[in-house]
Amino acid sequence: MKTYKGSCHCGAVTFELKTDVKKIIQCNCSICTKKGALHLRITTEEFYLLTGKDALVLYQFETRTASHYFCKHCGIHPYSNPRIAPDMVSVNVRCLDDTDIARDFEIVNFDGRHWQAAAEALKK
């Protein structure tokens, strides 16, 4: 398993993850498009919040199933618990240190603008 380290921009929130996952998700829904996140979905056992729990602010909308966390100091979105799998952690790959997205990961598109249909297609 590979260990990745990451943080928000100001460094108040730091985390580590241990995973072999190589596919990341690019979603075109309203929030993912605006924040520019690329998602690496992992289990809660693979994610370790090291510092900054008190610096995180929760944002939810629509069904309030997803939990989007932002640093209250710099506004960066390091991770979330996604609507499609709220018991997992979706790390924003753009917050990982020493990572070359094009070299290290395969990007898979998810049509979040048509969320319900895209989620149903995953079940097939």
Side-chain angles (χ1 to χ4, degrees):
M1 253 185 222
K2 183 165 180 171
T3 299
Y4 299 90
K5 292 184 182 277
S7 68
C8 63
H9 187 257
C10 71
V13 178
T14 62
F15 59 90
E16 184 176 279
L17 50 130
K18 295 180 183 179
T19 186
D20 289 325
V21 175
K22 290 296 183 184
K23 290 186 180 183
I24 58 176
I25 299 165
Q26 178 173 269
C27 178
N28 66 353
C29 77
S30 61
I31 193 166
C32 292
T33 299
K34 290 187 183 283
K35 68 185 171 187
L38 293 174
H39 305 280
L40 173 60
R41 194 169 55 198
I42 58 175
T43 66
T44 56
E45 292 81 18
E46 295 171 301
F47 180 80
Y48 308 91
L49 182 62
L50 302 175
T51 63
K53 184 175 182 177
D54 59 331
L56 291 168
V57 176
L58 172 65
Y59 174 68
Q60 293 181 298
F61 64 100
E62 280 187 8
T63 65
R64 301 201 185 282
T65 305
S67 298
H68 302 269
Y69 295 97
F70 296 84
C71 173
K72 68 181 179 182
H73 303 291
C74 66
I76 297 299
H77 162 74
Y79 70 95
S80 65
N81 301 104
R83 178 179 170 192
I84 201 161
D87 57 331
M88 297 187 80
V89 176
S90 182
V91 174
N92 182 357
V93 176
R94 296 189 190 279
C95 290
L96 296 179
D97 301 328
D98 304 320
T99 303
D100 182 330
I101 293 169
R103 180 196 67 216
D104 297 336
F105 300 102
E106 174 189 348
I107 297 175
V108 176
N109 291 312
F110 180 79
D111 187 8
R113 287 185 183 155
H114 304 98
W115 195 93
Q116 197 63 44
E120 288 297 322
L122 291 176
K123 294 178 184 177
K124 295 178 182 177

